[in-house]
Amino acid sequence: DIQMTQSPSSLPASVGDRITITCRASQSISRYLSWYQQKPGKAPKLLIHTASSLQSGVPSRFSGSGSGTDFTLTISSLQPEDFATYYCQQSYSTPRTFGQGTKVEVK
Amino acid sequence: QVQLQESGPGLVKPSETLSLTCSVSGGSVSSAGYYWSWIRQPPGKGLEWIGYFYYSGSTYYNPSLKSRVTISVDTSKDQFSLRLSSVTAADTAIYYCARDTGNCFDPWGQGTLVTVSS
Protein backbone atom coordinates (compact mmCIF):
# COMPACT_ATOMS: atom_id res chain seq x y z
CA ASP A 1 0.00 0.00 0.00
CA ILE A 2 1.11 3.57 -0.62
CA GLN A 3 1.31 5.50 2.64
CA MET A 4 0.34 9.17 2.60
CA THR A 5 1.79 11.39 5.32
CA GLN A 6 0.53 14.91 5.92
CA SER A 7 2.14 17.64 7.95
CA PRO A 8 1.38 19.31 10.15
CA SER A 9 -1.48 17.45 11.85
CA SER A 10 -2.73 20.69 13.33
CA LEU A 11 -2.23 24.20 11.99
CA PRO A 12 -3.25 27.21 14.09
CA ALA A 13 -3.83 30.18 11.80
CA SER A 14 -5.57 33.54 11.48
CA VAL A 15 -7.83 35.01 8.84
CA GLY A 16 -5.69 36.43 6.06
CA ASP A 17 -2.77 34.08 6.66
CA ARG A 18 -1.10 32.22 3.83
CA ILE A 19 -0.92 28.56 4.84
CA THR A 20 0.69 25.50 3.33
CA ILE A 21 -0.03 21.84 4.03
CA THR A 22 2.38 19.15 2.90
CA CYS A 23 1.61 15.62 1.77
CA ARG A 24 4.28 12.99 1.13
CA ALA A 25 3.74 9.64 -0.57
CA SER A 26 5.77 6.57 0.35
CA GLN A 27 6.53 6.03 -3.36
CA SER A 28 6.09 8.01 -6.55
CA ILE A 29 2.47 8.63 -7.49
CA SER A 30 3.16 10.89 -10.48
CA ARG A 31 0.46 13.56 -10.20
CA TYR A 32 -2.36 11.29 -9.00
CA LEU A 33 -2.99 13.38 -5.91
CA SER A 34 -6.19 15.03 -4.73
CA TRP A 35 -7.03 17.38 -1.86
CA TYR A 36 -10.32 17.45 0.08
CA GLN A 37 -11.81 19.80 2.65
CA GLN A 38 -14.03 18.41 5.38
CA LYS A 39 -16.13 20.41 7.81
CA PRO A 40 -17.75 18.87 10.91
CA GLY A 41 -20.76 16.73 10.09
CA LYS A 42 -20.18 17.02 6.34
CA ALA A 43 -18.78 14.80 3.62
CA PRO A 44 -15.36 15.65 2.23
CA LYS A 45 -15.41 18.12 -0.64
CA LEU A 46 -13.01 17.88 -3.58
CA LEU A 47 -10.79 20.94 -3.90
CA ILE A 48 -7.97 19.89 -6.23
CA HIS A 49 -7.30 16.86 -8.41
CA THR A 50 -4.31 15.74 -10.45
CA ALA A 51 -2.05 17.63 -8.02
CA SER A 52 -2.86 21.12 -9.25
CA SER A 53 -6.20 21.21 -11.09
CA LEU A 54 -8.74 23.33 -9.25
CA GLN A 55 -12.16 21.75 -9.07
CA SER A 56 -14.94 23.83 -10.62
CA GLY A 57 -16.43 26.26 -8.13
CA VAL A 58 -13.50 26.19 -5.72
CA PRO A 59 -12.08 29.65 -4.92
CA SER A 60 -8.79 30.56 -6.57
CA ARG A 61 -7.13 31.17 -3.20
CA PHE A 62 -6.68 27.37 -3.10
CA SER A 63 -3.78 25.95 -5.10
CA GLY A 64 -1.88 22.69 -5.30
CA SER A 65 1.54 21.73 -6.52
CA GLY A 66 3.97 18.83 -6.64
CA SER A 67 4.65 15.57 -8.38
CA GLY A 68 6.27 12.27 -7.58
CA THR A 69 6.27 12.00 -3.78
CA ASP A 70 5.95 15.57 -2.47
CA PHE A 71 2.87 17.74 -2.74
CA THR A 72 1.53 20.94 -1.19
CA LEU A 73 -1.83 22.60 -0.72
CA THR A 74 -1.70 26.36 -0.28
CA ILE A 75 -4.42 28.76 0.78
CA SER A 76 -3.22 32.22 -0.19
CA SER A 77 -5.39 34.23 2.21
CA LEU A 78 -7.29 32.19 4.78
CA GLN A 79 -11.00 33.01 5.03
CA PRO A 80 -13.32 32.24 7.98
CA GLU A 81 -15.00 29.44 6.03
CA ASP A 82 -11.65 27.72 5.42
CA PHE A 83 -11.25 26.50 9.02
CA ALA A 84 -11.67 22.78 8.46
CA THR A 85 -9.75 19.52 8.12
CA TYR A 86 -7.89 18.84 4.88
CA TYR A 87 -6.98 15.43 3.46
CA CYS A 88 -4.74 14.37 0.62
CA GLN A 89 -5.46 11.15 -1.30
CA GLN A 90 -3.63 9.15 -3.95
CA SER A 91 -5.27 7.56 -6.99
CA TYR A 92 -2.07 6.09 -8.47
CA SER A 93 -2.88 2.60 -7.31
CA THR A 94 -5.23 0.50 -5.26
CA PRO A 95 -5.92 0.43 -2.43
CA ARG A 96 -6.68 4.12 -2.55
CA THR A 97 -5.18 5.79 0.50
CA PHE A 98 -5.62 9.07 2.37
CA GLY A 99 -3.37 11.18 4.53
CA GLN A 100 -4.26 11.38 8.20
CA GLY A 101 -5.62 14.89 7.87
CA THR A 102 -4.58 18.43 8.80
CA LYS A 103 -6.88 20.46 11.02
CA VAL A 104 -6.69 24.18 10.31
CA GLU A 105 -7.87 25.89 13.48
CA VAL A 106 -8.16 29.36 14.88
CA LYS A 107 -4.93 30.64 16.42
CA GLN B 1 -25.20 16.71 -11.98
CA VAL B 2 -24.57 13.38 -10.36
CA GLN B 3 -25.74 12.97 -6.77
CA LEU B 4 -25.27 10.04 -4.41
CA GLN B 5 -27.35 9.08 -1.37
CA GLU B 6 -26.62 6.33 1.15
CA SER B 7 -29.35 4.37 2.90
CA GLY B 8 -29.52 1.49 5.35
CA PRO B 9 -29.77 0.57 9.04
CA GLY B 10 -28.02 2.84 11.50
CA LEU B 11 -27.56 0.09 14.08
CA VAL B 12 -26.10 -3.37 13.53
CA LYS B 13 -25.43 -6.05 16.13
CA PRO B 14 -21.95 -7.50 16.59
CA SER B 15 -21.20 -10.52 14.37
CA GLU B 16 -24.00 -9.58 11.97
CA THR B 17 -23.75 -8.16 8.45
CA LEU B 18 -23.82 -4.45 7.67
CA SER B 19 -25.74 -3.65 4.47
CA LEU B 20 -25.89 -0.23 2.81
CA THR B 21 -27.13 1.00 -0.54
CA CYS B 22 -26.04 4.02 -2.53
CA SER B 23 -28.54 5.50 -4.98
CA VAL B 24 -27.16 7.40 -7.94
CA SER B 25 -29.18 10.19 -9.53
CA GLY B 26 -28.30 12.36 -12.49
CA GLY B 27 -26.05 9.64 -13.85
CA SER B 28 -25.66 5.91 -14.33
CA VAL B 29 -23.59 3.24 -12.59
CA SER B 30 -23.01 1.87 -16.10
CA SER B 31 -21.19 5.03 -17.21
CA ALA B 32 -17.82 4.17 -18.70
CA GLY B 33 -14.68 4.84 -16.75
CA TYR B 34 -16.04 5.21 -13.25
CA TYR B 35 -15.35 3.26 -10.08
CA TRP B 36 -18.26 3.21 -7.61
CA SER B 37 -16.68 3.30 -4.17
CA TRP B 38 -17.31 3.00 -0.47
CA ILE B 39 -15.26 4.91 2.09
CA ARG B 40 -15.66 5.02 5.85
CA GLN B 41 -14.64 7.29 8.70
CA PRO B 42 -14.72 6.20 12.36
CA PRO B 43 -15.99 9.02 14.60
CA GLY B 44 -13.28 11.63 15.05
CA LYS B 45 -10.81 9.77 12.84
CA GLY B 46 -9.55 9.73 9.26
CA LEU B 47 -10.81 8.26 6.00
CA GLU B 48 -10.47 4.61 4.99
CA TRP B 49 -11.20 3.37 1.48
CA ILE B 50 -13.22 0.13 1.52
CA GLY B 51 -13.41 -0.82 -2.15
CA TYR B 52 -15.03 -0.23 -5.51
CA PHE B 53 -17.11 -1.75 -8.28
CA TYR B 54 -15.80 -0.82 -11.73
CA TYR B 55 -18.34 -0.17 -14.49
CA SER B 56 -16.94 -3.13 -16.45
CA GLY B 57 -17.97 -5.48 -13.65
CA SER B 58 -14.75 -5.96 -11.73
CA THR B 59 -14.32 -5.25 -8.04
CA TYR B 60 -11.38 -4.41 -5.80
CA TYR B 61 -11.38 -4.40 -2.03
CA ASN B 62 -9.04 -3.02 0.58
CA PRO B 63 -6.89 -6.00 1.66
CA SER B 64 -7.54 -5.04 5.28
CA LEU B 65 -11.26 -5.78 4.79
CA LYS B 66 -11.25 -8.09 1.78
CA SER B 67 -12.41 -11.23 3.56
CA ARG B 68 -15.56 -9.49 4.85
CA VAL B 69 -16.56 -7.11 2.03
CA THR B 70 -18.81 -7.43 -0.99
CA ILE B 71 -19.72 -4.55 -3.30
CA SER B 72 -22.37 -5.13 -5.94
CA VAL B 73 -24.34 -3.08 -8.44
CA ASP B 74 -27.96 -3.02 -9.58
CA THR B 75 -27.86 -1.32 -12.96
CA SER B 76 -31.66 -1.39 -13.30
CA LYS B 77 -31.97 0.85 -10.25
CA ASP B 78 -28.66 2.77 -10.61
CA GLN B 79 -27.67 1.63 -7.14
CA PHE B 80 -24.61 -0.01 -5.67
CA SER B 81 -24.40 -1.78 -2.36
CA LEU B 82 -21.96 -2.64 0.42
CA ARG B 83 -22.07 -5.73 2.58
CA LEU B 84 -19.63 -6.08 5.48
CA SER B 85 -19.89 -9.30 7.43
CA SER B 86 -18.97 -10.25 11.00
CA VAL B 87 -18.96 -6.66 12.21
CA THR B 88 -17.45 -5.53 15.50
CA ALA B 89 -17.40 -2.22 17.35
CA ALA B 90 -14.35 -1.29 15.26
CA ASP B 91 -16.65 -1.09 12.22
CA THR B 92 -18.64 1.76 13.78
CA ALA B 93 -18.18 4.63 11.36
CA ILE B 94 -19.75 7.08 8.96
CA TYR B 95 -20.00 5.26 5.65
CA TYR B 96 -19.77 7.29 2.45
CA CYS B 97 -20.37 6.28 -1.13
CA ALA B 98 -18.47 8.17 -3.79
CA ARG B 99 -17.67 8.11 -7.48
CA ASP B 100 -14.00 7.52 -8.24
CA THR B 101 -13.08 9.08 -11.57
CA GLY B 102 -9.64 7.48 -11.58
CA ASN B 103 -8.13 10.78 -10.43
CA CYS B 104 -10.28 11.69 -7.45
CA PHE B 105 -13.49 11.03 -5.53
CA ASP B 106 -16.30 13.26 -6.74
CA PRO B 107 -19.09 13.51 -5.86
CA TRP B 108 -19.66 12.02 -2.39
CA GLY B 109 -22.86 11.04 -0.66
CA GLN B 110 -23.73 12.82 2.56
CA GLY B 111 -22.70 9.81 4.62
CA THR B 112 -24.57 7.56 7.01
CA LEU B 113 -23.54 6.65 10.55
CA VAL B 114 -23.57 2.95 11.32
CA THR B 115 -23.14 1.93 14.94
CA VAL B 116 -22.26 -1.64 15.88
CA SER B 117 -23.75 -2.43 19.26
CA SER B 118 -25.90 -5.04 20.93
Side-chain angles (χ1 to χ4, degrees):
Chain A
D1 300 5
I2 297 176
Q3 307 303 316
M4 307 300 294
T5 304
Q6 286 181 234
S7 61
S9 296
S10 175
L11 181 53
S14 300
V15 173
D17 284 354
R18 178 184 180 90
I19 67 166
T20 297
I21 299 169
T22 297
C23 179
R24 175 164 289 175
S26 60
Q27 66 184 76
S28 177
I29 58 169
S30 184
R31 293 176 59 80
Y32 288 90
L33 191 283
S34 302
W35 290 97
Y36 303 85
Q37 176 193 66
Q38 188 178 34
K39 296 181 178 180
K42 299 294 187 181
K45 171 189 172 183
L46 176 67
L47 298 176
I48 288 169
H49 63 86
T50 327
S52 61
S53 296
L54 196 66
Q55 176 70 352
S56 176
V58 174
S60 59
R61 63 180 180 272
F62 291 91
S63 63
S65 65
S67 66
T69 61
D70 294 316
F71 302 86
T72 59
L73 172 70
T74 298
I75 307 176
S76 60
S77 178
L78 196 67
Q79 297 302 299
E81 60 267 31
D82 300 336
F83 291 98
T85 300
Y86 294 84
Y87 293 93
C88 62
Q89 176 256 323
Q90 65 83 17
S91 295
Y92 182 80
S93 67
T94 48
R96 307 297 200 218
T97 47
F98 293 86
Q100 81 278 17
T102 295
K103 187 174 183 179
V104 177
E105 52 194 6
V106 177
K107 183 185 290 184
Chain B
Q1 72 193 45
V2 175
Q3 294 184 310
L4 284 66
Q5 175 72 58
E6 305 88 350
S7 60
L11 181 63
V12 181
K13 289 182 169 57
S15 80
E16 295 189 346
T17 296
L18 178 160
S19 295
L20 296 174
T21 297
C22 182
S23 298
V24 179
S25 59
S28 170
V29 295
S30 302
S31 297
Y34 294 121
Y35 307 75
W36 301 96
S37 299
W38 288 95
I39 297 159
R40 70 180 183 178
Q41 184 173 37
K45 297 188 177 181
L47 298 159
E48 179 182 32
W49 178 78
I50 298 170
Y52 66 59
F53 183 101
Y54 190 42
Y55 83 103
S56 64
S58 60
T59 54
Y60 190 95
Y61 305 131
N62 193 321
S64 66
L65 298 167
K66 185 177 181 179
S67 64
R68 300 193 290 131
V69 173
T70 303
I71 296 175
S72 59
V73 166
D74 185 336
T75 55
S76 67
K77 296 181 179 179
D78 276 322
Q79 294 178 335
F80 61 106
S81 298
L82 169 70
R83 288 175 57 85
L84 181 66
S85 64
S86 305
V87 297
T88 70
D91 295 310
T92 293
I94 299 171
Y95 285 76
Y96 296 101
C97 57
R99 185 181 67 175
D100 181 346
T101 69
N103 286 319
C104 59
F105 292 109
D106 184 66
W108 296 61
Q110 66 185 26
T112 187
L113 175 63
V114 178
T115 301
V116 178
S117 175
S118 57

